[in-house]
Amino acid sequence: MVTSLMLFLRRCSMMLIDPSKINQVYIVCGKTDLRRGIDGLAAVVQEQFELDPYNQALYLFCGTRKDRFKALYWDGDGFLLLYKRLENGRLQWPTNQNAVRRLNFRQFKLLLSGWSLDATVHKVRTPRHVNVATER
């Protein structure tokens, strides 16, 4: 069975990345300046989150508009930088600015399909009961 990650990587990189060699997928939450290139994004991974950008993990970054993201990957002899812009819709990107999250492939698929990674549950207010007899 082909995972959505494999399909994404086939479309975006024409198999420049071997999906079986990806150790982990990380999402850098909040807004990232997408004007940054390979060195700038690798520095974010290393300095801000104390992770190793050379560990063959896929790191995902999103900008302010949430209709585009970048993916950074070390393939063993160099970095690959992928850039995707959605024509319709927006990503439901987590907004905690100082966080990085590890994703499983199911979560990665949900994120790229437009679903939120965080459940949004609103507190339900109990309805106010009005005593009709005392209202009059």
Side-chain angles (χ1 to χ4, degrees), residues 30-88:
K31 300 173 189 171
T32 302
D33 184 356
L34 291 186
R35 294 176 294 180
R36 291 179 185 238
I38 290 172
D39 295 330
L41 295 175
V44 168
V45 168
Q46 199 164 28
E47 295 168 10
Q48 191 172 343
F49 299 108
E50 299 178 356
L51 294 169
D52 181 10
Y54 299 96
N55 71 353
Q56 292 186 316
L58 185 67
Y59 295 95
L60 305 172
F61 306 87
C62 187
T64 305
R65 298 169 63 175
K66 296 185 181 180
D67 67 342
R68 57 198 73 196
F69 68 95
K70 284 187 175 182
L72 181 68
Y73 176 72
W74 173 259
D75 69 356
D77 65 357
F79 279 106
L80 287 164
L81 183 61
L82 305 172
Y83 183 74
K84 170 117 178 159
R85 184 185 72 206
L86 303 174
E87 289 299 318
N88 294 311

